[in-house]
Amino acid sequence: MLGIPLIPISHLTLSSLFPVGTDVYLRPKGAKEAMLFLAADQIATEEALELLAVSKDIKLFISQTECQKFQKHLRDNFDLWFENDAVPAKNKAAMLSEVIRNVLSDEFTRNDTNSIVDATKQLGVHIARLATEKSLTGAELCQILHHDYGTFTHSGNVAFYCSLLAAELGYANEELAEIATGGLLHDLGKLDIDERVLNKPGKLDEFEFRIIKEHPLGGFRRLTKVNEATRIQLLMTYQHHERIDGKGYPVGIGGDEIHIASRICSVADVFEAMTSNRPYRGALSHKQTLEIMTESVTQAFDKEVFECWKTIVSSRLGN
Ligand SMILES: [Fe+2]
C-alpha cells in the first residue's frame, strides 16, 4: 500500500449490515504499511467490528482519492441506516458526522442558499434526535466529532452542541431540530468572505476583522430570501456574535434583546472554536476552555445558558 495517501476513518462508520462502498485498509500499531481489510462490496463481520471496538491499536483508513465516494455512500444510505434500530446510536452519530461534512461541503461549494437550507433541514432533524438519544453518551459524541476547525466541521459541531444545550434547557423536539439547523447555518455569511481572510493564520488586521464582522449580516440577508428559513435560524445567524454586555457585533444589542437561541449558539460557537485545532495552535481542553470562558461570562454570555453548558460538559462530555 506504500505510495497511496490514506485518510483515517472511524470504525463506527462500518456496519455488519451494509458494505461501506470503498476499500477499507487496516494498520496495526507499529506497522509501516496498511493492508486491505474490506473490499468495497464486502460487509464487516460482527466479530471483526467487536475487535475493532476494543482495540485502540488498530487504525482504519480509506484512500484519500475515495474520500468523496465514501462520504457519498454514507449520505446515500444514511436514511436507511438511521431508521434501522439494529444500528447503535454511536454508529449513527459517526455516520451523521461524515454526512454533515459531505453535505455542507457540497452545498456550500454550490453556493445556492435555497438548496443549503433544504439540505440542512433534514440534517437538523437527525442531529436533534441523536442529541436526545439516551444510549449515546456525550463522551462518545466527542470522540466521534472531528475537531479540525474547517467551516463544515465547525458548523456541524456547533449544531450538535446547540442541540445538547437546547435539550437540557427544555426545548421540545421540533424546536431542537430548528435550532440544530440554525447551528448548521449560523456561519452561512462566511460564503461571501475571501478565503485568504477566513483562513489567515494568526491575528487579523483591522480591515480584515471588519470584513469578518460582516458575516452575520451576510448570512441573514441570504436567509431572508429563502421561504424555508425560520425566524430562529435567521436570528441565530444574525446575532451569534452579539454579547450580553452589548459589545458584540453586528448591532451591539445586549441582554434579553438577543434571542435565547442566539445566546445558545454563542456559547456553542465559542466553545467549539476553542476546543478545535487551528493551523497556529492546538485544541484547548474542555477544562481550559471553560475556565477562559468563565472569566468573561458576565460580559459575553448568558449566565444561565453558560452554567447549563458547564454542567453538560462536566457531567457528559468530560475534560
Ligand atoms: Fe460566526
Side-chain angles (χ1 to χ4, degrees):
M1 279 308 301
L2 274 181
I4 299 180
L6 298 175
I7 55 167
I9 61 163
S10 164
H11 69 274
L12 293 172
T13 53
L14 306 187
S15 159
S16 61
L17 301 170
F18 320 98
V20 76
T22 45
D23 290 347
V24 178
Y25 302 93
L26 167 156
R27 188 168 66 206
K29 194 178 184 185
K32 279 197 177 142
E33 292 187 29
M35 59 188 90
L36 185 66
F37 168 56
L38 278 179
D41 57 354
Q42 271 184 311
I43 299 176
T45 62
E46 286 281 357
E47 295 74 28
L49 292 178
E50 277 170 29
L51 188 69
L52 287 167
V54 293
S55 172
K56 291 193 167 59
D57 294 337
I58 301 174
K59 301 277 183 244
L60 295 180
F61 301 86
I62 56 169
S63 161
Q64 196 174 38
T65 55
E66 292 203 307
C67 180
Q68 281 288 323
K69 198 171 151 196
F70 169 72
Q71 288 184 327
K72 185 173 183 312
H73 181 76
L74 290 181
R75 181 176 173 173
D76 290 347
N77 292 285
F78 185 72
D79 286 339
L80 190 69
W81 294 334
F82 205 82
E83 298 307 328
N84 190 324
D85 293 337
V87 179
K90 61 182 177 181
N91 292 61
K92 290 178 183 173
M95 290 168 182
L96 179 57
S97 170
E98 289 297 334
V99 168
I100 288 170
R101 269 153 68 105
N102 180 254
V103 170
L104 293 187
S105 159
D106 270 10
E107 295 293 341
F108 277 49
T109 306
R110 266 203 284 162
N111 203 352
D112 172 348
T113 310
N114 270 299
S115 176
I116 293 171
V117 172
D118 201 38
T120 52
K121 194 175 171 187
Q122 191 55 31
L123 293 177
V125 173
H126 293 320
I127 292 170
R129 267 178 65 182
L130 281 177
T132 51
E133 174 64 63
K134 295 265 183 300
S135 64
L136 177 69
T137 68
E140 281 170 345
L141 183 60
C142 265
Q143 277 168 10
I144 287 161
L145 298 177
H146 298 276
H147 296 283
D148 56 16
Y149 203 72
T151 299
F152 314 128
T153 317
H154 170 69
S155 300
N157 293 355
V158 167
F160 268 109
Y161 294 161
C162 282
S163 301
L164 290 176
L165 245 170
E168 194 67 28
L169 289 165
Y171 279 85
N173 268 0
E174 214 170 280
E175 286 167 311
L176 283 186
E178 214 182 320
I179 290 173
T181 300
L184 293 173
L185 294 170
H186 79 285
D187 270 342
L188 186 66
K190 286 189 175 171
L191 274 175
D192 302 316
I193 295 178
D194 192 319
E195 289 206 5
R196 284 168 300 184
V197 177
L198 269 186
N199 301 325
K200 183 183 172 183
K203 221 170 178 313
L204 299 172
D205 65 32
E206 207 185 311
F207 177 68
E208 291 162 338
F209 192 46
R210 213 181 311 149
I211 291 175
I212 289 279
K213 281 163 107 176
E214 287 171 7
H215 79 274
L217 180 58
F220 178 79
R221 279 204 183 114
R222 277 173 173 263
L223 290 183
T224 52
K225 294 176 189 134
V226 178
N227 288 337
E228 287 283 300
T230 69
R231 181 171 170 271
I232 279 184
Q233 289 151 8
L234 279 157
L235 290 173
M236 285 172 75
T237 303
Y238 191 45
Q239 298 178 337
H240 69 276
H241 286 289
E242 297 290 1
R243 287 163 54 103
I244 218 78
D245 65 1
K247 292 183 178 167
Y249 65 87
V251 180
I253 52 172
D256 290 349
E257 291 174 314
I258 309 167
H259 192 279
I260 178 70
S262 310
R263 287 179 257 154
I264 289 172
C265 191
S266 164
V267 170
D269 185 30
V270 173
F271 183 86
E272 206 292 323
M274 292 174 75
T275 52
S276 288
N277 289 300
R278 299 288 190 94
Y280 51 93
R281 65 147 172 81
L284 299 180
S285 70
H286 291 173
K287 190 166 175 274
Q288 284 173 307
T289 302
L290 289 179
E291 280 168 9
I292 294 170
M293 288 174 78
T294 301
E295 286 170 20
S296 60
V297 62
T298 51
Q299 296 97 50
F301 308 111
D302 179 309
K303 201 159 186 304
E304 191 189 337
V305 171
F306 181 66
E307 286 302 323
C308 182
W309 183 240
K310 264 168 75 174
T311 308
I312 294 172
V313 174
S314 54
S315 64
R316 291 169 62 188
L317 303 190
N319 289 323

